[in-house]
Amino acid sequence: MSENLRDPAAAVIDVGALTKRYGPTVGVEELDIRVGAGEVFGFLGPNGAGKTTTIRCLVGLLRPTSGRVRVLGLDPVADHRRLAPSLGYLPGELRLYPELTGGQTLQLLADLQGAATPRRAELCARLGLTAADLRRAVGEYSRGMKQKLGLVQALQHDPALVVLDEPSEGLDPLVQETFFELLAEARAAGRTVLLSSHVLPEVQRACGRVAIVRAGRLVTVQSVAALREVRARRVRLTFADGAGPRPLGAAESWSPRWQGNRVELLIPPGEVVGALRGLLALPVEDLTVEEAGLEEAFLDLYRTPTDQSTPTDEPGEQR
Amino acid sequence: MKHRYPLLWLALHRRRRMLIALLVGMAVFEALIVVITVTVSPQELFAGGGRTPPGAFKAFSGSTGDVSIASYPGLLGGGLVHPFWIALQLTVIGSLAAAAVAADVESGTIELLMVRPISRNRLLAERTAALALASLALNAVATAVVAVGVLLSPQLHQAVPLSGVFVAGLLGTAFTLCLAGPALAVSAASSRRAAVIGATIGFGAVGFAVNFVALAWSKAAGLRFVSPFHYYTPGDALAHGTVPWGSFAVLTAVGLLGTAAAFRLLARRDLAP
């Protein structure tokens, strides 16, 4: 089922058995991910799943408790100064210095990067950051404008690897379009992009493969196309007797959502027939079965019948 | 400086208004001390009861030797260990030590800084330099004001050698280094600026209290060695004009050890909010 790259040497990002604990709390555990050169790779999971922890290990902010992390063939902590020139990073919770202007912020980060910023003017123009905006203090910016500034600082030095944590948060639809264009251009130019998100449509649109994490563990790595194929079926039943919610026997496993006499279940493709056998013993008046969207396929991976656990709370993802 | 040492520039630029206010405050305060000292002689100030001040009052004149607060060096030294002087110094140390690491970790801005090709050592080195520059400026202002006062007043100049003023300034700088080192270590290990500011105030306030108790109560005399105020003696420096190298070495060594510990602690920790 997993579509992880097999050859570590070909991987721009090579994570093996990565575990990060914060005292007794597990951030991520035994995570394996490989991302190849030129990929736009999605990293999906709900808040608290371990995405930000993994990303912070990739960019060298956190030291793994155990496991292997290689980015562009380098150890992100030990080889930080060799790796960082090739990195562009947008944090999930972007924090800026409120008293600096947008222009001062970009210049400060460019000075720290120690590299030319060939794309700054173009990116500001395309994302709609005007010269007047850049003269204003960041503390006066809206959330969307801060996010635009975050994207510019991540891309202005044209890095080989871009790591974006929840990049479209706060962007209006027009700017989101520009953002997707930038991702497509990065892929066309052979850049590698790791895109962390809990917004499925943006992953569906931008990424070739996705890793899905839940409660700090890897659920699967698949191509977006394969994920569509295994998506769940949405089964809707209407009962004739007007008695409302009732026990559904084995089908209770599929997280029934009741609305009066109607119930909706998301059932994996291979389980639909078996589930319906039991359900049709009840006084069913109407029945529909349809393919769920990608969002439901994603959610289905969180709703395995045996796993009722909630994702781990981790320090880095409290929002 | 802005492009060459951006982390140093950032630390000072963000606190420039506070630093200017503290520098002005220090200048005004020391000028006031000089004016009071010149206007009312120490003998008049303390001769009212017909008794000499208790020995523990040396804590308020910055002396562990023979300099009474009822003297010109004692009064001027009092301005250099006065709670207001201490508060200004602790504000600079606490604020800029917190800015070294802990404040950026707490606010989350550390993520933007430390994904650049800069080492943790460089982060701390530039932030330590910012703290050193600010402390140096504060001590330089205090020293300059007292020096001008001594130069302009014949009776002060007779009792206080100008070299003593500069030795007191040198000791003041060593004293701030002594407090800054441990404060930087707390910052390097912590994710909360309040912890750094609290620790800095703790070092200063507890140090002063311990020194006073040690001077006032003979059974606790041994405690004076753990207080930085035992080694920071501007009253003695103003009276004699000689550098107490032993005390200077202790203050400097504590500061350097704290700073070294900060580098070590920062190298080992995670850098995330």
Side-chain angles (χ1 to χ4, degrees):
Chain A
M1 183 161 165
S2 176
E3 292 187 20
N4 234 333
L5 284 183
R6 293 191 190 286
D7 180 11
V12 168
I13 295 172
D14 177 21
V15 174
L18 170 65
T19 297
K20 177 64 186 176
R21 295 196 182 91
Y22 305 97
T25 308
V26 176
V28 291
E29 191 156 30
E30 296 289 318
L31 203 69
D32 294 287
I33 296 172
R34 288 195 190 115
V35 180
E39 273 196 271
V40 178
F41 188 88
F43 197 37
L44 275 171
N47 291 337
K51 303 188 300 295
T52 297
T53 294
T54 307
I55 283 175
R56 286 173 175 164
C57 289
L58 291 177
V59 298
L61 292 168
L62 297 181
R63 293 167 186 277
T65 306
S66 63
R68 180 188 69 248
V69 180
R70 290 284 180 277
V71 179
L72 295 164
L74 299 167
D75 181 315
V77 176
D79 304 318
H80 176 71
R81 291 185 67 189
R82 287 167 62 203
L83 172 62
S86 307
L87 265 183
Y89 173 53
L90 174 67
E93 205 165 329
L94 180 64
R95 296 294 173 84
L96 302 161
Y97 297 104
E99 58 279 85
L100 297 188
T101 66
Q104 282 176 322
T105 302
L106 291 176
Q107 190 53 48
L108 169 76
L109 298 175
D111 288 341
L112 290 169
Q113 193 69 41
T117 52
R119 299 194 64 193
R120 186 193 297 178
E122 170 224 338
L123 289 164
C124 286
R126 289 176 69 179
L127 291 166
L129 279 173
T130 64
D133 292 334
L134 293 175
R135 282 195 295 272
R136 284 168 52 205
V138 167
E140 298 170 13
Y141 279 24
S142 67
R143 187 174 182 198
M145 285 181 69
K146 285 180 188 166
Q147 199 70 354
K148 290 179 195 176
L149 200 68
L151 283 169
V152 175
Q153 65 79 28
L155 301 170
Q156 64 177 350
H157 53 289
D158 206 13
L161 171 63
V162 183
V163 179
L164 305 171
D165 194 356
E166 311 281 1
S168 65
E169 293 272 309
L171 296 181
D172 65 53
L174 278 176
V175 179
Q176 281 191 22
E177 279 304 309
T178 308
F179 167 66
F180 286 121
E181 284 171 19
L182 291 170
L183 284 184
E185 288 165 15
R187 176 154 54 184
R191 309 289 187 223
T192 307
V193 180
L194 179 73
L195 173 69
S196 163
S197 179
H198 61 259
V199 182
L200 279 156
E202 78 180 19
V203 171
Q204 187 178 2
R205 179 168 173 183
C207 302
R209 291 191 307 139
V210 291
I212 295 177
V213 286
R214 177 185 62 206
R217 287 183 169 273
L218 183 69
V219 176
T220 186
V221 179
Q222 291 192 353
S223 67
V224 171
L227 196 60
R228 285 174 200 269
E229 283 173 17
V230 298
R231 62 191 171 186
R233 302 295 186 262
R234 183 187 291 117
V235 175
R236 290 198 183 98
L237 297 159
T238 305
F239 293 97
D241 58 6
R246 73 204 68 204
L248 297 175
E252 284 290 335
S253 307
W254 308 114
S255 308
R257 281 184 290 180
W258 285 94
Q259 201 170 21
N261 279 330
R262 293 184 65 193
V263 66
E264 184 178 305
L265 305 105
L266 283 170
I267 305 177
E271 307 279 346
V272 173
V273 174
L276 284 179
R277 279 200 189 100
L279 288 168
L280 290 175
L282 299 168
V284 174
E285 183 181 67
D286 191 22
L287 164 70
T288 62
V289 180
E290 62 188 46
E291 222 177 31
L294 187 62
E295 189 139 359
E296 283 84 353
F298 167 65
L299 292 173
D300 190 47
L301 289 163
Y302 290 100
R303 289 183 186 151
T304 55
T306 52
D307 187 1
Q308 300 299 318
S309 64
T310 53
T312 309
D313 286 328
E314 66 180 272
E317 293 208 344
Q318 290 165 352
R319 292 170 189 210
Chain B
M1 183 173 93
K2 186 175 175 182
H3 300 299
R4 189 162 179 164
Y5 302 110
L7 295 166
L8 187 158
W9 171 81
L10 183 63
L12 294 177
H13 176 79
R14 297 189 71 203
R15 292 158 188 84
R16 63 192 183 284
R17 291 189 187 89
M18 179 196 78
L19 290 173
I20 290 168
L22 292 175
L23 290 173
V24 170
M26 180 63 93
V28 170
F29 174 72
E30 290 302 336
L32 203 61
I33 291 288
V34 169
V35 168
I36 291 169
T37 306
V38 172
T39 310
V40 188
S41 74
Q43 289 76 18
E44 287 175 57
L45 262 181
F46 291 96
R51 291 184 302 173
T52 53
F57 274 32
K58 285 179 185 171
F60 301 117
S61 65
S63 171
T64 53
D66 55 355
V67 179
S68 165
I69 196 163
S71 67
Y72 282 118
L75 272 183
L76 282 183
L80 297 173
V81 288
H82 191 277
F84 189 79
W85 182 94
I86 297 171
L88 295 182
Q89 299 282 2
L90 293 182
T91 305
V92 166
I93 295 168
S95 167
L96 281 155
V101 180
D104 274 314
V105 175
E106 185 176 32
S107 68
T109 44
I110 197 81
E111 283 200 275
L112 280 179
L113 302 181
M114 295 312 290
V115 294
R116 316 284 156 186
I118 54 170
S119 66
R120 295 177 181 212
N121 283 349
R122 181 179 160 190
L123 169 76
L124 192 53
E126 288 198 29
R127 294 292 169 77
T128 303
L131 170 50
L133 282 176
S135 291
L136 203 59
L138 202 59
N139 282 295
V141 163
T143 304
V145 172
V146 175
V148 168
V150 167
L151 280 175
L152 293 179
S153 162
Q155 73 260 37
L156 271 185
H157 205 170
Q158 200 172 14
V160 177
L162 198 58
S163 61
V165 179
F166 293 111
V167 171
L170 182 70
L171 276 182
T173 306
F175 171 80
T176 52
L177 175 64
C178 173
L179 293 186
L184 284 168
V186 174
S187 183
S190 174
S191 300
R192 291 188 306 122
R193 76 190 82 190
V196 183
I197 293 167
T200 307
I201 292 170
F203 296 146
V206 172
F208 188 84
V210 164
N211 188 49
F212 182 77
V213 169
L215 284 172
W217 186 29
S218 59
K219 286 181 181 173
L223 280 176
R224 67 188 186 278
F225 295 109
V226 300
S227 167
F229 287 92
H230 175 68
Y231 306 98
Y232 172 55
T233 51
D236 293 340
L238 286 163
H240 306 301
T242 52
V243 180
W245 289 111
S247 295
F248 180 78
V250 170
L251 292 171
T252 308
V254 171
L256 292 178
L257 281 173
T259 308
F263 278 91
R264 200 170 169 80
L265 288 165
L266 182 61
R268 291 175 174 181
R269 69 170 294 179
D270 284 336
L271 284 177

